[in-house]
Amino acid sequence: MAVRVIEDIINKGIKFKTAFSIFIENFRFHDIRHTVATRLVTSGVDLAVVQEILGYSDIKTTMRYAHPVPERKKQTINILNSY
């Protein structure tokens, strides 16, 4: 199932790239990976799950794409402060 989801994302991404390359200079499909990883992590999805969805063999690659979000940092600090 995960493979089918990834194939769908890639197919939609190709159409997306074609549409957006008209309006956005230097747009690359690769840029979408950053957005997807960051949005999943921001939504609270575990990095291991993001790694599997994006098909990375190494968690370090996933971490490179999943940019830290300031709001999530604040939430984490608040959790630690509550103990």
Side-chain angles (χ1 to χ4, degrees):
M1 175 158 176
V3 174
R4 181 175 288 165
V5 170
I6 292 168
E7 289 173 350
D8 288 346
I9 290 170
I10 291 170
N11 289 334
K12 289 177 184 173
I14 292 168
K15 292 175 188 171
F16 184 77
K17 177 183 167 102
T18 303
F20 274 85
S21 62
I22 296 168
F23 303 106
I24 301 172
E25 194 173 314
N26 299 321
F27 180 81
R28 302 167 297 162
F29 178 73
H30 175 80
D31 297 333
I32 296 171
R33 295 178 83 81
H34 290 273
T35 303
V36 170
T38 300
R39 287 184 179 179
L40 289 173
V41 170
T42 301
S43 298
V45 177
D46 186 79
L47 275 177
V49 175
V50 175
Q51 174 187 1
E52 187 176 327
I53 289 172
L54 293 178
Y56 298 127
S57 59
D58 189 347
I59 194 73
K60 291 178 187 175
T61 305
T62 309
M63 293 171 66
R64 212 173 321 160
Y65 284 99
H67 303 289
V69 178
E71 185 58 36
R72 292 289 290 167
K73 289 181 185 179
K74 289 177 189 176
Q75 291 171 350
T76 303
I77 291 169
N78 288 336
I79 290 170
L80 290 171
N81 285 335
S82 68
Y83 285 101

